[in-house]
Amino acid sequence: DQFRGDYLNRYRSEFKGRGFRLLMDEGAWFTDCYYDYANTKTAPGHATLGTGAYSDGHGIESNEWWDASRSNEHKVSSVEDERYQLVDLPAGSIPANAPGAPASAAKFLIGSSPLNLRATTLGDELRLATQGRARVYGISLKDRAAILPAGQSANGAFWIDNSSGQFTTSTYYMEHLPEWARAFNAGGRVAQAEREAKVEGTTQFFELVGRTPAANSYELDFAKALITGEKLGQSGVTDLVTISLSANDIQGHQFGPDSEFEGQMVLSLDHDLDSFFGWLDQAVGLKNVWLALSADHGVAPVPGEAAKLGIHAAAVNMQAVYAEVNAKLSARYSPQAKADYLMPGPDLPYVVLDKQAFQKAGVGEKAAEEAVATLLPEVVAGLASKPDGPLPLQHRLPPAPQVAGVYTRLALAHGQLPPSEWGRLLAHSYAEHGNWYVMLLLSAYQMEGSSAFAGTTHFSPWSYDRHVPLALYGAPFLPGEYHNRVAPVDLAVTFASLAGVNQPSAAVGRVLTEALKPLHPASP
């Protein structure tokens, strides 16, 4: 999660053993893998890795969104599903929507499922091809990162209770955790992770342990328990486990990709992968395993740090933008009664309109979206600070917020986009969830934030958010370092071809034939 593609080159000389080097030196490593869409976030990225499709194919456009058919009070998570419940939460665990719940409480009282995933995954196709004999599981600290890459028919997906760190799942998959998972939760591994993170006894496991290397080894140990407990790889058919390591993202937002903390995280993960792959070799045999390494998105540098070098990087106060746009819309459509015409946010790249407020004012979707799309660049440009007098020699003006483009939902839905690579990125980002919105793309190295040094994020069509690693290891792959441009959608398609199953239902990737060993001619 948030492992940018250039990290492998940046820290290559410091890798030891057979962690990342197993994939880089003994596998097929693609150095130039880029997502081909503009909404680079966790849920869409994980869905893309599993389905070989983009948002216009799998239906996941963001981590959460406003869905008027389900709620006007809160956003709906990409995997939220009111029909199910979380299972086997630890005693005393309080869901986030219960009275008096702490900030660290489990996010949802209700369960989670792949309800919103509109395409099959590689795992689904394995399950279909084997009439359910293949077993498929997903693991992450985050529910969406466990559920979406595994797919609709997965045997299980496991993520943590945010406060305690214990693994849970949803009744979509099972009524209770398997015995091996209950034993893992009760076995002292949570306490060990807290000690390693130096936050013993915390009730904020996700925030405090989750942002440290201890979270990666914790997840990988759970993966070992899963593989052992379910006897994966021993039934004569192909089983699949997807593991999303969340710690890099949780820490990365705070410190950015160029911090010493990021270097420590990457090198620690290298050590943990070396240990995990060694265990996997003993338990299953690496000759019986195919491995893939990728990420759900990249990340931008902290804007203040980039600006020091002369990059036109800036933090854009989107709260101020929202307030000004709302004020202008209210003056235009309801001058006698102040009203908000934007749903609470921001959550770029989307600015969501309050459909009910516009309809009450007698304004339809086209006019509403075009009004907001016109106002946003004006208001963002108005945030630029201006010098009070002549600048001293060699003194640079501070970077000014800029908008690269604004696109209405209707334009995206009808394909009214530039006939270029840029237009294709936008088209691949579209999904329909019943809300009105505009897509706001800030200029490169600019992002929402109150301070240029208050962390960083990802959400954009710029290369740093789209660049991720792609490396494949296993008997079919021709070891080497490949520099041709590829995409994460190629992963599921390549594995489907090698496994002899259908490609996922909406897949648009290609088989990476350049990285496959030549087939031996049949014997006469």
Side-chain angles (χ1 to χ4, degrees):
D1 198 323
Q2 200 190 116
F3 195 96
R4 207 171 63 191
D6 62 316
Y7 291 174
L8 294 181
N9 268 322
R10 182 180 295 194
Y11 299 103
R12 185 177 190 174
S13 64
E14 300 179 69
F15 294 151
K16 295 178 173 57
R18 297 176 84 200
F20 286 121
R21 283 196 172 276
L22 176 69
L23 294 130
M24 298 167 70
D25 298 343
E26 301 178 50
W29 171 35
F30 291 87
T31 61
D32 295 274
C33 180
Y34 288 83
Y35 280 96
D36 199 28
Y37 68 165
N39 51 322
T40 42
K41 292 195 169 188
T42 294
H46 283 91
T48 291
L49 289 169
T51 64
Y54 292 114
S55 294
D56 60 338
H58 57 59
I60 306 296
E61 67 184 19
S62 192
N63 294 334
E64 54 189 15
W65 51 78
W66 291 99
D67 185 344
S69 68
R70 296 175 72 179
S71 175
N72 281 316
E73 304 301 322
H74 66 87
K75 292 179 181 178
V76 176
S77 157
S78 56
V79 292
E80 181 177 341
D81 194 337
E82 302 88 345
R83 300 170 300 173
Y84 302 100
Q85 298 289 320
L86 300 180
V87 307
D88 297 343
L89 289 175
S93 180
I94 304 174
N97 61 348
S104 59
K107 191 171 184 182
F108 301 115
L109 171 65
I110 59 177
S112 301
S113 84
L115 168 69
N116 296 308
L117 189 64
R118 299 173 187 169
T120 60
T121 61
L122 171 67
D124 291 328
E125 296 301 334
L126 285 171
R127 297 270 291 158
L128 287 166
T130 60
Q131 293 81 52
R133 287 182 297 134
R135 286 163 298 165
V136 175
Y137 293 92
I139 298 169
S140 181
L141 297 188
K142 304 176 182 180
D143 54 0
R144 56 184 177 266
I147 291 169
L148 295 172
Q152 302 169 13
S153 66
N155 300 76
F158 303 97
W159 56 94
I160 66 164
D161 167 60
N162 288 357
S163 56
S164 71
Q166 292 190 18
F167 278 91
T168 184
T169 187
S170 167
T171 51
Y172 176 84
Y173 301 101
M174 58 195 75
E175 293 298 318
H176 293 286
L177 290 171
E179 179 56 39
W180 61 262
R182 293 198 295 272
F184 182 90
N185 282 340
R189 192 57 184 83
V190 168
Q192 179 185 335
E194 291 175 354
R195 285 195 302 273
E196 291 171 358
K198 298 180 173 56
V199 288
E200 291 183 70
T202 181
T203 58
Q204 302 179 63
F205 190 97
F206 182 88
E207 291 87 354
L208 299 183
V209 179
R211 68 186 182 192
T212 73
N216 287 329
S217 59
Y218 180 65
E219 280 193 60
L220 291 170
D221 279 353
F222 186 81
K224 295 176 188 177
L226 165 66
I227 293 167
T228 302
E230 298 295 338
K231 298 181 172 60
L232 300 185
Q234 301 180 32
S235 62
V237 297
T238 301
D239 298 325
L240 174 67
V241 180
T242 68
I243 306 171
S244 173
L245 298 165
S246 305
N248 206 70
D249 182 78
I250 301 169
Q251 175 193 263
H253 278 285
Q254 183 177 4
F255 298 112
D258 305 309
S259 68
E260 61 178 306
F261 298 103
E262 184 59 30
Q264 294 167 4
M265 180 72 75
V266 173
L267 295 178
S268 176
L269 179 56
D270 178 57
H271 175 270
D272 290 337
L273 289 177
D274 180 33
S275 174
F276 179 68
F277 294 154
W279 177 88
L280 200 59
D281 195 20
Q282 293 294 317
V284 182
L286 284 178
K287 67 182 183 298
N288 302 313
V289 173
W290 298 343
L291 298 171
L293 170 72
S294 193
D296 56 350
H297 53 73
V299 67
V302 173
E305 297 296 338
K308 288 179 182 178
L309 300 176
I311 304 296
H312 202 84
V316 181
N317 188 339
M318 288 302 299
Q319 294 290 352
V321 170
Y322 266 49
E324 182 67 11
V325 171
N326 268 323
K328 289 180 178 294
L329 291 171
S330 187
R332 181 183 304 179
Y333 297 124
S334 53
Q336 304 304 319
K338 182 181 178 182
D340 287 338
Y341 288 86
L342 303 181
M343 299 299 286
D347 191 12
L348 296 184
Y350 302 106
V351 176
V352 182
L353 282 58
D354 188 329
K355 183 192 307 187
Q356 293 180 335
F358 278 104
Q359 289 175 333
K360 184 178 179 180
V363 182
E365 180 178 5
K366 185 174 186 296
E369 290 178 354
E370 288 177 350
V372 174
T374 299
L375 285 171
L376 281 168
E378 299 174 3
V379 174
V380 170
L383 297 178
S385 59
K386 298 179 176 60
D388 295 329
L391 291 170
L393 292 177
Q394 298 181 340
H395 183 83
R396 290 173 175 168
L397 285 165
Q402 294 178 337
V403 171
V406 186
Y407 303 90
T408 68
R409 188 203 71 82
L410 287 173
L412 293 165
H414 296 143
Q416 298 167 346
L417 300 166
S420 62
E421 181 178 353
W422 182 264
R424 188 175 68 250
L425 294 174
L426 296 171
H428 285 167
S429 305
Y430 177 73
E432 173 57 60
H433 291 109
N435 46 354
W436 299 357
Y437 64 83
V438 298
M439 194 170 188
L440 172 65
L441 302 177
L442 299 174
S443 291
Y445 296 99
Q446 300 196 357
M447 66 194 66
E448 59 192 271
S450 58
S451 167
F453 292 94
T456 185
T457 191
H458 49 86
F459 67 87
S460 80
W462 307 112
S463 64
Y464 49 79
D465 279 348
R466 293 165 47 215
H467 189 197
V468 295
L470 181 60
L472 311 171
Y473 170 88
F477 301 110
L478 189 64
E481 185 173 326
Y482 299 82
H483 294 279
N484 51 309
R485 187 76 166 253
V486 297
V489 291
D490 300 334
L491 193 163
V493 168
T494 299
F495 272 19
S497 178
L498 292 172
V501 303
N502 288 326
Q503 296 180 6
S505 59
V508 296
R510 69 175 183 88
V511 179
L512 296 170
T513 53
E514 64 269 36
L516 301 183
K517 293 176 180 176
L519 296 174
H520 297 293
S523 301

